[in-house]
Amino acid sequence: MQTLKHDLVVIGGGPAGLAAAIAAKEAGCDDVLLIERDRRLGGILNQCIHDGFGLHRFGKALTGPEYAQHFIDRLDALAIQRMLGTIVLSMEGGHVLHISSKTGFRRISAGAVILGMGCRERTAGAICLPGTRPAGIYTAGAAQTFINLQNIMIGKRIVILGSGDIGLIMARRLTLEGAEVEAVFEILPYASGLPRNIQQCLNDYGIPLYLSTSVIDIHGKERVTGVTVAEIGPDRRPVPGTERHVACDTLLLSVGLIPENELTRGADILIESRTSGAYVDDAFMTSRPGVFSCGNVLHVHDLVDYVSEEAETVGRNTAAFLKGDMRPAESHIDIKPGNGVGYVLPQRVGGEKDFVLSLRVSEPFRNRAVLVREGKRKVKRKKMVRLHPAEMIRMNVKVDKIQDAMSLEVSVE
Amino acid sequence: MSKKELTCVLCPNGCRLEVEIEEGQQIIIKDVSGNLCEKGVEWARQEIVNPMRTISSSILVEKGELPLVSVRTETPIPLKNIFDVMKEIKAFRVKAPVNIGDIIIEEVAGLSCNIIATRNVRKIS
Amino acid sequence: MSDHYDVLIIGAGVVGNAIARELSRYRLKIAVVEREQDVGMGSSSRNSGVLHSGINYKPGTLRAMLDVQGNSLMEGLCRELKVKIDYIGKLTIAQDKDDIKTLQRLKEQGEANGVPGLEILNADQMRKKQPDVGGIAALWSPTSGIICPYGLTIALAENAFMNGVRFFLGHEVTSIQRKEEGFLVNTGNGHRFTTTILINAAGLFSDRVCRMLGINEYRIYPCRGEYLILDKRLKGSLSVLVYPAPKENMPGLGIHLTNTVDGNILIGPSNEYIDDHDDCASTSNIMALLRKEGHELLPMLSTSDFIRSFSGLRAKQTSPEEKGYKDFVIESRKDVPGFINLVGIESPGLTCAPAIGLMIKDMVAERIALEEKKSFISERPGRLGMFSELPAEERADLASQDPDYGEIVCRCEQVTKREILEAIQNPLGCKTIAGIRYRARATMGRCQGGFCLPRIVEILEKDFGYRLEDFILNRPESRLFTGRAR
């Protein structure tokens, strides 16, 4: 078997991998190889034909493919080497990768690795959805692939479970394509997607959104004929007497994204259960030296602009690591989520430089503050009008505020 | 006189706006409240009187390496015209190669808005 | 015009296919008619995949004899057919003194049935086999094991086909008439068959076939068992089969954990009598129960470990009031000469299958002189197991010769394009998406086809000329798509 050597291998040619590879090269790492399993670069952006990408970064509302093209052009201009249609089968010890493609099997020995594998969608099986298993049950992303990339319509009368952005985007897409979207059902008492999407994907088209409601049965032996929905009580069980039948031929699931960390786990890299992504420090380095993580595989993002920013930081850090410029910090500060906070990232910092703290609240709040503190001492406070689990919050934390700290807690007050 | 509730989408604050409307021959905005800045007021007026949207869709490609090219409205169009625009988009075909930014349909549905390609589609060899 | 056969088998489940394969050793014109679009679409693919040792059955019954015989035949059969099998052994656990009495009874019963290697283990000994297992004692049965049930069903059919058996998929038997020479069998699509010997291996519908011949003494009561499939990452925790000691009148063997030969863990099955002979839904109450059991038996289980649920139906002869089991009905009917009838082949039907094949062969031999074919091909071509299970160097070699071995289509299960193509081009001519799934394992992983299904659809469209209406999940009406967007 052929063994190749590269200084840096970036796994994933979506927004995270693209930005990371470019930043690493620009920071002086010449030997970069980007590996992508699809036959073209762009990752999930290729099928996200709706706009809203790049508002922060470019000041324009671009579509997914347009946003991706910016980075693909730069990748080409920098002549960064890439392998398309190639899958990383395993990552041993974090530095030996086994890859497979039409041109065969190969082993790559890497000086450093950046993980940019993105996410997969949560499935009907994973949420233990009851009922039959006919044709016509799709995750929203798979339906998006079929419609946008393969010119295939997956149904005529649609019920959507889950009010995440992917489901909302598909509600609009399917309506514009002539399908009837009956309703969106959301198990939580609040919508998981952005308000802009509730307005422009549901309200614009008169598609009702039912909160605290879920699908409790699927009907149809060969093809979906309908679903039974019911209100879900605070005990997360259906409220008796609220069941009703909704006729449809398609059930679309938009019930969450799961970072694809199979490779990461296989390399015995520590994963945090809150994010389902790797534990990282403020350099975004994982528990294995020389292996970095960014983008959706690290934690699920809602704005691709922040994915690019995060990935660029990782690219620069990795270049520094390869040059030997990255000293491991002498001690570290653990950061934990407190009241009202679902997760924080990074989960530990060296305390030697400024860093950007990313976090999500665990439920919606209005007119509160996010507080970073060490014991009782306030480190940073951010007042916000609207705090929502669907919108990642980012805070700049200055090093002079955290020196000598042992641990930090982030909470909503 | 009626009241309409909107959630402003201009910035992450997501102010909940209450708009008092007088509906007659024309829609007259009487008052906007709940906003933290002036941009919200202007947005609310537009949103009530003539909501504008950008839409994205796909157009069939002939002889391309992909069957569809993703497209979008170059500038916002009135919400009420969306299905007219979709009708034209669905009927249209374009020959590969298509380049990102190409104008595929000029002044779609008689509006002063072009439909532009948002990706490259090469010709199949 | 009708096709005439020496033997016509109704039902291409594991039993029907085992019979077909056994009979294909002889100079006979054999046909199998199957209502579904693929083999094994009934109970055969929807069970725990367990090979039973034979301790649970009353000596002298068909269940007992055929199970022990089938169990010992299975190893050689799987080697010939390239089917995954693993005799991992089973611990039947006692929680109290009553249970220990049950274990002793089972040991005696097993020994009377000819089951080898049975041993009662104390707590220390049983924890050597399975650390952390609860209970005070256990009966160890080393010939218990696991097998891929749909893999076996497909392999038997493909080998039978290779040896001249004709398979008619999508042919539901609607009526049967007795003729002088045998039987005239009509199927729903207007096809007619005449046959000298008719074998009823219709499983859940075996009573329906009986009634077509005026035999009204049998009734099948479908009893549904639900399962949850768990992530492979939990596999290491379970090395042997672990069952609770059976209690009085339990309709099944209780909810337990089972390893699969592919590395997943199954929780189940439940037991629920239903009316519909065709309802394989999952229910929220049972799934909640299975999840609860799962968390108790596997402390490290998390919600992201659930891959999928499925259910299967047992063709029980005992009613909900009767409960328990009746012995298999395997008879060469004297009142309907030439009709060989199998009714109520529920657990341990899978284990019994090879032995049932031999038993039926003997019954056929009573009516037709059997002449062995020298040309019988006992080995099935291909590799055992998935490409991804081969050693790395071997995979690298094969991939360098065939680029389709290098191209991975199903990321979660690392299924190569070559395996997908082989599944599409299967010898039986099955054209469903489920058919590809059962043969290649694609879409069975964590993402359940989210990544690979669009790619499989593309291969079928571009390389095999499938039109959108050709994409069916498992039945003609189970269309995946409704048309083009443009």
Side-chain angles (χ1 to χ4, degrees):
Chain A
M1 199 192 318
Q2 202 192 354
T3 302
L4 309 167
K5 268 180 119 102
H6 285 280
D7 287 345
L8 171 60
V9 176
V10 178
I11 307 180
L18 288 169
I22 290 164
K25 181 104 186 203
E26 286 176 340
C29 177
D30 272 323
D31 180 16
V32 181
L33 171 67
L34 187 142
I35 301 179
E36 165 56 48
R37 69 185 178 185
D38 209 338
R39 69 175 78 102
R40 50 184 65 91
L41 295 168
I44 204 70
L45 293 175
N46 282 320
Q47 63 187 62
C48 294
I49 67 168
H50 52 283
D51 68 22
F53 300 92
L55 272 168
H56 291 253
R57 192 179 179 94
F58 300 117
K60 290 192 267 183
L62 298 174
T63 60
E66 287 170 303
Y67 187 94
Q69 196 63 45
H70 277 278
F71 292 87
I72 295 170
D73 289 343
R74 281 172 67 200
L75 199 86
D76 290 341
L78 290 165
I80 293 174
Q81 198 186 344
R82 81 288 306 262
M83 284 182 184
L84 301 177
T86 305
I87 283 200
V88 178
L89 296 171
S90 65
M91 189 167 62
E92 281 156 41
H95 292 284
V96 178
L97 307 168
H98 282 89
I99 63 170
S100 183
S101 73
K102 273 198 275 224
T103 53
F105 266 53
R106 266 168 288 186
R107 210 167 11 221
I108 304 182
S109 175
V113 174
I114 295 179
L115 305 173
M117 294 88 80
C119 281
R120 63 172 187 270
E121 294 180 281
R122 189 168 277 118
T123 63
I127 61 170
C128 291
L129 206 54
T132 52
R133 293 287 175 266
I137 303 173
Y138 291 96
T139 52
Q144 193 180 50
T145 307
F146 281 121
I147 299 175
N148 294 349
L149 298 180
Q150 294 176 254
N151 191 16
I152 295 175
M153 275 302 275
I154 46 96
K156 294 197 158 106
R157 225 173 147 191
I158 326 282
V159 162
I160 300 179
L161 177 60
S163 62
D165 286 318
I166 308 174
L168 301 178
I169 294 292
M170 287 311 292
R172 176 175 61 190
R173 181 77 169 115
L174 288 160
T175 304
L176 292 180
E177 289 307 321
E180 242 184 80
V181 178
E182 298 290 331
V184 176
F185 296 102
E186 167 57 55
I187 198 173
L188 294 173
Y190 54 86
S192 331
L194 300 169
R196 180 179 126 110
N197 288 332
I198 304 285
Q199 177 62 46
Q200 297 187 1
C201 299
L202 300 188
N203 298 349
D204 280 0
Y205 304 99
I207 298 169
L209 167 64
Y210 296 99
L211 300 175
S212 300
T213 310
S214 191
V215 171
I216 61 166
D217 209 351
I218 303 172
H219 309 283
K221 278 195 188 151
E222 287 86 28
R223 175 89 197 192
V224 174
T225 55
V227 294
T228 302
V229 299
E231 278 172 38
I232 304 296
D235 59 351
R236 298 213 118 205
R237 310 212 64 193
V239 177
T242 65
E243 303 88 357
R244 62 185 176 91
H245 183 85
V246 182
C248 62
D249 71 357
T250 309
L251 175 62
L252 219 62
L253 299 173
S254 175
V255 293
L257 296 175
I258 302 170
E260 288 240 53
N261 277 300
E262 275 61 49
L263 282 177
T264 322
R265 287 198 174 87
D268 290 322
I269 292 172
L270 291 174
I271 304 280
E272 184 191 14
S273 58
R274 288 191 202 98
T275 54
S276 298
Y279 270 103
V280 290
D281 60 16
D282 47 349
F284 292 94
M285 193 158 80
T286 66
S287 58
R288 205 169 267 287
V291 179
F292 297 78
S293 183
C294 55
N296 272 357
V297 78
L298 178 60
H299 56 145
V300 177
H301 286 252
D302 37 87
L303 290 180
V304 73
D305 310 57
Y306 293 151
V307 168
S308 303
E309 207 180 290
E310 189 173 84
E312 283 165 344
T313 305
V314 169
R316 287 191 292 272
N317 292 345
T318 313
F321 171 84
L322 286 165
K323 280 199 203 127
D325 288 345
M326 189 174 279
R327 263 184 318 106
E330 287 184 4
S331 62
H332 61 261
I333 306 167
D334 285 317
I335 311 182
K336 292 221 164 12
N339 217 23
V341 175
Y343 78 84
V344 295
L345 195 122
Q347 297 92 344
R348 66 165 46 176
V349 296
E352 292 172 0
K353 51 183 172 34
D354 300 346
F355 70 97
V356 173
L357 180 71
S358 301
L359 65 118
R360 285 187 191 270
V361 293
S362 50
E363 56 184 284
F365 295 103
R366 280 197 89 81
N367 298 316
R368 305 289 201 97
V370 179
L371 182 61
V372 182
R373 57 189 162 78
E374 196 224 350
K376 287 197 161 68
R377 178 173 74 87
K378 181 187 98 178
V379 168
K380 175 109 187 192
R381 191 166 181 271
K382 181 170 179 174
K383 268 180 81 170
M384 296 179 67
V385 172
R386 185 187 130 86
L387 302 88
H388 197 282
E391 287 158 54
M392 192 185 290
I393 298 168
R394 300 165 103 235
M395 296 168 68
N396 291 312
V397 181
K398 295 262 179 271
V399 61
D400 52 346
K401 299 279 189 182
I402 56 170
Q403 270 165 351
D404 304 325
M406 298 265 283
S407 74
L408 300 172
E409 190 181 281
V410 185
S411 54
V412 174
E413 58 153 37
Chain B
M1 270 270 277
S2 60
K3 279 204 184 130
K4 202 165 175 184
E5 265 187 28
L6 295 172
T7 304
C8 181
V9 299
L10 290 183
C11 87
N13 281 337
C15 299
R16 287 214 194 102
L17 306 177
E18 216 178 63
V19 187
E20 275 183 35
I21 310 170
E22 201 173 274
E23 284 174 279
Q25 280 211 327
Q26 283 176 50
I27 299 174
I28 304 174
I29 311 290
K30 283 287 183 189
D31 187 45
V32 178
S33 58
N35 54 306
L36 284 173
C37 78
E38 275 311 299
K39 287 191 199 159
V41 178
E42 189 40 52
W43 177 84
R45 286 182 203 280
Q46 177 78 60
E47 188 64 14
I48 299 283
V49 170
N50 185 20
M52 302 291 280
R53 297 285 183 263
T54 54
I55 58 159
S56 313
S57 188
S58 312
I59 286 183
L60 197 61
V61 179
E62 289 172 357
K63 297 198 169 63
E65 50 167 19
L66 286 172
L68 301 172
V69 61
S70 49
V71 298
R72 66 172 167 88
T73 48
E74 196 171 15
T75 47
I77 56 164
L79 173 61
K80 61 178 168 13
N81 293 118
I82 282 186
F83 284 97
D84 303 320
V85 170
M86 280 307 302
K87 200 166 165 208
E88 265 193 48
I89 284 177
K90 282 183 187 173
F92 211 84
R93 275 159 207 263
V94 66
K95 283 198 178 62
V98 181
N99 294 310
I100 196 170
D102 281 355
I103 296 174
I104 310 289
I105 307 177
E106 268 184 36
E107 296 189 352
V108 65
L111 304 164
S112 59
C113 167
N114 298 327
I115 302 294
I116 61 170
T118 57
R119 65 167 303 128
N120 299 319
V121 179
R122 288 190 299 224
K123 199 168 167 193
I124 35 170
S125 38
Chain C
M1 263 304 291
S2 55
D3 289 341
H4 181 79
Y5 292 88
D6 298 318
V7 178
L8 185 92
I9 301 168
I10 304 176
V14 69
V15 171
N17 294 346
I19 295 170
R21 196 254 180 175
E22 190 54 43
L23 292 177
S24 72
R25 293 182 192 274
Y26 306 97
R27 286 192 196 293
L28 293 167
K29 198 166 173 221
I30 307 166
V32 178
V33 293
E34 164 57 50
R35 72 201 292 262
E36 301 286 354
Q37 303 299 314
D38 195 2
V39 304
M41 296 300 288
S43 314
S44 302
S45 45
R46 296 165 170 278
N47 54 73
S48 316
V50 168
L51 292 174
H52 293 283
S53 61
I55 58 175
N56 284 302
Y57 319 115
K58 203 162 149 226
T61 59
L62 286 174
R63 290 170 86 214
M65 286 165 13
L66 294 169
D67 178 85
V68 175
Q69 189 187 11
N71 186 306
S72 70
L73 288 169
M74 204 58 96
E75 190 173 11
L77 179 65
C78 286
R79 206 175 322 119
E80 288 178 335
L81 297 181
K82 311 253 185 0
V83 174
K84 282 181 176 178
I85 182 174
D86 201 351
Y87 288 96
I88 55 177
K90 175 165 117 179
L91 291 169
T92 305
I93 309 283
Q95 300 288 352
D96 55 39
K97 283 219 181 84
D98 282 337
D99 283 347
I100 294 193
K101 287 206 186 88
T102 305
L103 294 191
Q104 269 146 4
R105 179 177 62 77
L106 288 176
K107 181 166 184 280
E108 279 159 25
Q109 185 168 256
E111 280 160 357
N113 287 333
V115 179
L118 296 173
E119 248 188 282
I120 305 247
L121 305 179
N122 62 33
D124 283 331
Q125 292 167 318
M126 70 195 220
R127 285 189 237 291
K128 282 206 177 72
K129 301 236 183 266
Q130 180 64 46
D132 296 332
V133 70
I136 57 177
L139 175 60
W140 170 245
S141 44
T143 57
S144 302
I146 52 176
I147 193 173
C148 183
Y150 47 87
L152 177 65
T153 307
I154 291 167
L156 284 165
E158 290 187 352
N159 187 237
F161 175 81
M162 183 171 246
N163 285 301
V165 175
R166 293 194 64 191
F167 281 80
F168 294 89
L169 302 174
H171 283 60
E172 182 178 354
V173 173
T174 47
S175 65
I176 307 171
Q177 285 142 43
R178 292 174 65 173
K179 297 280 173 190
E180 225 190 82
E181 337 74 61
F183 304 88
L184 174 64
V185 177
N186 293 298
T187 60
N189 39 12
H191 212 134
R192 323 182 81 194
F193 303 82
T194 59
T195 182
T196 308
I197 294 187
L198 180 65
I199 301 179
N200 177 12
L204 289 160
F205 302 98
S206 52
D207 57 343
R208 198 183 285 184
V209 170
C210 284
R211 283 195 290 277
M212 289 180 196
L213 282 164
I215 298 168
N216 296 313
E217 68 221 58
Y218 299 114
R219 183 174 162 179
I220 295 293
Y221 297 88
C223 182
R224 185 166 59 198
E226 292 186 42
Y227 293 84
L228 291 176
I229 306 176
L230 304 183
D231 200 302
K232 289 180 186 181
R233 77 169 188 102
L234 298 164
K235 197 229 165 162
S237 43
L238 196 67
S239 17
V240 305
L241 293 165
V242 176
Y243 279 53
K247 305 255 187 257
E248 277 283 307
N249 260 336
M250 224 162 57
L253 289 168
I255 291 177
H256 50 268
L257 298 176
T258 312
N259 280 331
T260 71
V261 288
D262 298 303
N264 294 97
I265 294 187
L266 300 178
I267 306 177
S270 54
N271 278 281
E272 188 196 348
Y273 278 90
I274 61 170
D275 293 321
D276 193 337
H277 291 236
D278 184 33
D279 183 0
C280 288
S282 297
T283 63
S284 54
N285 287 337
I286 301 288
M287 281 202 284
L289 181 65
L290 294 176
R291 289 170 82 160
K292 186 163 156 284
E293 289 278 330
H295 283 291
E296 279 171 23
L297 295 166
L298 287 170
M300 74 293 284
L301 180 64
S302 94
T303 49
S304 54
D305 288 322
F306 295 103
I307 303 288
R308 191 184 177 91
S309 64
F310 75 95
S311 66
L313 301 177
R314 305 170 181 83
K316 292 193 81 68
Q317 295 176 77
T318 48
S319 70
E321 295 73 39
E322 285 173 271
K323 296 200 181 53
Y325 287 89
K326 272 192 190 150
D327 197 16
F328 296 159
V329 168
I330 303 182
E331 56 185 7
S332 189
R333 292 290 292 207
K334 293 196 175 34
D335 55 341
V336 187
F339 180 54
I340 297 176
N341 195 20
L342 295 98
V343 181
I345 315 295
E346 53 166 321
S347 181
L350 176 65
T351 315
C352 296
I356 294 177
L358 288 171
M359 187 174 172
I360 302 304
K361 181 261 299 178
D362 288 339
M363 288 180 177
V364 171
E366 286 168 10
R367 307 197 63 84
I368 303 184
L370 294 184
E371 210 191 307
E372 266 192 68
K373 287 189 327 213
K374 288 208 183 66
S375 60
F376 178 73
I377 305 163
S378 59
E379 293 250 345
R380 184 167 162 246
R383 101 192 77 33
L384 170 63
M386 294 177 63
F387 182 77
S388 64
E389 292 163 336
L390 294 173
E393 289 297 336
E394 205 179 322
R395 279 188 286 159
D397 269 335
L398 285 165
S400 63
Q401 292 159 39
D402 183 354
D404 289 337
Y405 273 128
E407 188 178 333
I408 307 260
V409 175
C410 167
R411 197 228 89 82
C412 298
E413 296 293 312
Q414 296 194 0
V415 181
T416 64
K417 186 173 180 187
R418 172 55 54 201
E419 292 167 286
I420 302 278
L421 292 173
E422 282 170 2
I424 295 170
Q425 296 169 302
N426 67 84
L428 298 173
C430 166
K431 301 222 173 315
T432 66
I433 296 294
I436 298 171
R437 175 190 297 155
Y438 284 120
R439 286 164 177 78
R441 202 171 158 77
T443 77
M444 283 189 170
R446 291 180 186 104
C447 85
Q448 290 287 291
F451 176 72
C452 65
L453 185 61
R455 279 150 186 79
I456 293 172
V457 166
E458 192 180 36
I459 292 171
L460 289 167
E461 265 196 288
K462 295 212 169 112
D463 301 342
F464 293 90
Y466 273 46
R467 303 156 305 168
L468 286 192
E469 57 266 38
D470 296 328
F471 288 97
I472 59 174
L473 181 58
N474 44 29
R475 288 181 180 168
E477 309 82 10
S478 61
R479 295 218 184 143
L480 259 59
F481 309 124
T482 52
R484 292 273 173 215
R486 295 283 173 273

